[in-house]
Amino acid sequence: MVSCSICGSKEATVIAVIEGVSLEVCDECAKLGRISKRIKEKTKVVRKVAQVKPEVEETVVLDFAKKIREVREKNKMTQEEFAKALNEKLSVMRHVENGTLVPSLKLARKIEEKFGIKLVEEQGEVSGDIIPHEKVEAATLGDLIEIKRRKK
Ligand SMILES: [Zn+2]
């Protein structure tokens, strides 16, 4: 508790301007001046977690296209069969294999589960040599819009 700046015995409950000075005082002493602000009861000190957890971002690996193509060929599947197995549109899978469309995390996970390959990686701090994901996505924005439109 913060004790009153004037009497020093009671708990300061308000901030009052007394003779031009802003003081933390009790209700009684506040009468000497003008209350400017009520001190919030038990101000919870929301302490910022000192150890800031690096935000773990899940991203699709950059060589997803190659990996997906490889696993499909390993399974002796056509693109169509592969798309069907994943319940995805052939056009989507074609774009993904061409590397012109970054699969969504959901799709990447699905492929991971079904075919036992690793497509999603957790990225903490992005290190210098990793190409920012946006760059990959930027190139595919047109495709994404196209696909979205087609769905409608
Ligand atoms: Zn007081």
Side-chain angles (χ1 to χ4, degrees), residues 60-73 79 82 92-103 108 111 117-119 133 136 140:
V60 177
V61 293
L62 287 173
D63 58 346
F64 64 87
K66 192 172 144 250
K67 284 190 167 183
I68 291 168
R69 185 182 290 271
E70 275 172 6
V71 79
R72 177 178 63 77
E73 286 172 350
Q79 284 191 332
F82 193 70
V92 171
M93 293 318 296
R94 213 174 256 161
H95 275 296
V96 168
E97 267 196 33
N98 287 339
T100 52
L101 175 70
V102 181
I111 301 169
I117 54 169
K118 184 112 182 76
L119 288 176
H133 214 62
V136 180
T140 68

Side-chain angles (χ1 to χ4, degrees), residues 4-11 25-30:
C4 171
S5 309
I6 307 251
C7 63
S9 60
K10 288 184 203 157
E11 186 178 355
V25 296
C26 67
D27 276 325
E28 280 302 304
C29 301

Side-chain angles (χ1 to χ4, degrees), residues 3-4 8 12 23 40 73 75 80 84 104 112 115-116 138 142 145:
S3 48
C4 171
L23 296 166
K40 279 175 205 135
E73 286 172 350
N75 283 275
E80 203 168 359
K84 243 182 210 161
S104 64
E112 280 189 334
F115 297 96
I145 292 163

